Amino acid sequence: MLRQLYIKEIGYFPKALFHYRERRTGCADNILFYCIQGKGWYVVDDKKYAVNANEYVIIPATKKYLRYWADEEQPWTIYWVHFTGGNMDAFNKTMHISLHAGPSPIPFSETSIAQWTIIFDSLKMGLSAENICNANFYLYALLATFLFPQHHIARQEPSYNMIVESSISFMQKNLDKRLSVLDIAIINKISASYLSNLFRSSTGTAPIDYFIQLKVQHACKLLQDQRVKIKDVAHAVGYDDPYYFSRIFKKLMNISPESYRERNVI
């Protein structure tokens, strides 16, 4: 049950002067560092990175040389977790966790610390099956606070999610049109570049790519009715050229509209 994702080690180092660890053959686990004060460093392969306060990094499992340590003048205060699972390569690829992604900034997160504390307290109570299960279930919640921070800082920044939500709502109401990033930005009274950065940060996808995904999702529903012609489905989602629509559909679904219809007719 726990093989998909589970904790290997966990700890908290306050002002960890002289903290140093060298792993010449890398680490078989993913390592999460969340720095709330001070500064630290890590080297992976031959590249060096600084980790500052209000930054986190997830170093994926690797066989490459790995070393990390606290800054001598401003030693870091960190919460850390080693975790692994049955198919970490697929997990890391899906979550865009890469070896040289470097640290990411994040607002101070009481939610992250609260999730970490639940995990730590569960394990501190003893390694019963119940405590281990509880800790590992909360591992997902802990990772979510870092991988999807926009969902956990909404109370602090209500406009952040409102812009993304209004953009998606606008897209859904205009699936039959061809919108640009500027069109979507104008309805939010922000610049196109700001919208793009905000949208990608929130969803992991560029606005127009997300819009195309919504179009294809709607096309899938329409294709289930065999009375609707392919060209009419294309028009309903804003494509005058049914052949171009078919290429877009196949790129996302790995199957042509015709084949999808054959498999999914109501």
Side-chain angles (χ1 to χ4, degrees):
M1 180 174 62
L2 299 177
R3 287 179 182 173
Q4 291 186 356
L5 206 64
Y6 57 92
I7 300 161
K8 292 287 290 296
E9 300 178 38
I10 185 171
Y12 167 67
F13 292 160
K15 296 183 179 179
L17 187 62
F18 306 124
H19 174 220
Y20 177 89
R21 184 66 191 270
E22 183 178 32
R23 298 175 179 270
R24 294 185 177 275
T25 56
C27 182
D29 314 320
N30 277 23
I31 307 175
L32 164 67
F33 293 118
Y34 174 35
C35 179
I36 62 169
Q37 287 182 333
K39 185 177 183 179
W41 306 85
Y42 72 95
V43 170
V44 60
D45 202 4
D46 60 349
K47 293 188 177 181
K48 182 179 179 181
Y49 301 88
V51 185
N52 297 290
N54 295 318
E55 290 186 339
Y56 81 93
V57 62
I58 301 177
I59 304 173
T62 181
K63 294 181 180 179
K64 295 185 179 295
Y65 176 86
L66 179 61
R67 177 164 53 103
Y68 43 89
W69 67 97
D71 185 78
E72 292 182 2
E73 296 181 0
Q74 304 175 64
W76 58 10
T77 294
I78 54 171
Y79 292 85
W80 57 270
V81 179
H82 286 225
F83 63 97
T84 190
N87 191 343
M88 292 308 292
D89 287 341
F91 175 84
N92 290 334
K93 184 176 180 181
T94 301
M95 295 293 104
H96 307 291
I97 298 170
S98 60
L99 199 59
H100 294 296
S104 298
I106 186 171
F108 178 77
S109 177
E110 293 182 0
T111 304
S112 300
I113 294 173
Q115 303 292 0
W116 182 95
T117 302
I118 291 172
I119 293 170
F120 188 83
D121 287 348
S122 292
L123 297 175
K124 189 170 65 175
M125 290 173 63
L127 300 181
S128 67
E130 179 180 331
N131 292 339
I132 290 173
C133 285
N134 188 61
N136 282 293
F137 291 158
Y138 271 96
L139 173 62
Y140 288 89
L142 173 66
L143 294 176
T145 65
F146 295 104
L147 297 173
F148 314 109
Q150 68 279 1
H151 295 297
H152 302 277
I153 61 174
R155 291 182 181 177
Q156 302 170 27
E157 301 181 32
S159 62
Y160 189 97
N161 273 357
M162 287 174 61
I163 291 173
V164 175
E165 289 172 3
S166 68
S167 298
I168 293 173
S169 177
F170 181 68
M171 293 177 187
Q172 290 172 331
K173 294 174 182 177
N174 292 277
L175 294 176
D176 60 334
K177 298 180 177 63
R178 301 184 68 175
L179 300 178
S180 67
V181 177
L182 182 59
D183 293 328
I184 304 168
I186 287 173
I187 64 109
N188 288 293
K189 299 180 180 180
I190 59 176
S191 70
S193 59
Y194 180 69
L195 174 68
S196 293
N197 292 334
L198 193 64
F199 205 93
R200 189 180 291 276
S201 175
S202 177
T203 66
T205 307
I208 297 306
D209 289 341
Y210 196 96
F211 187 40
I212 292 172
Q213 290 173 16
L214 291 177
K215 286 174 176 283
V216 171
Q217 288 173 11
H218 185 54
C220 288
K221 295 178 183 178
L222 297 177
L223 286 167
Q224 292 177 8
D225 185 347
Q226 60 183 342
R227 295 170 299 178
V228 182
K229 297 179 180 179
I230 300 292
K231 67 175 184 178
D232 293 330
V233 173
H235 288 154
V237 292
Y239 295 103
D240 295 330
D241 184 347
Y243 297 103
Y244 180 68
F245 161 71
S246 294
R247 290 199 299 271
I248 294 294
F249 188 95
K250 189 171 184 179
K251 183 179 179 180
L252 265 68
M253 300 296 294
N254 294 317
I255 190 173
S256 69
E258 293 81 3
S259 297
Y260 181 89
R261 163 167 281 172
E262 290 174 3
R263 298 183 186 184
N264 296 276
V265 170
I266 295 174

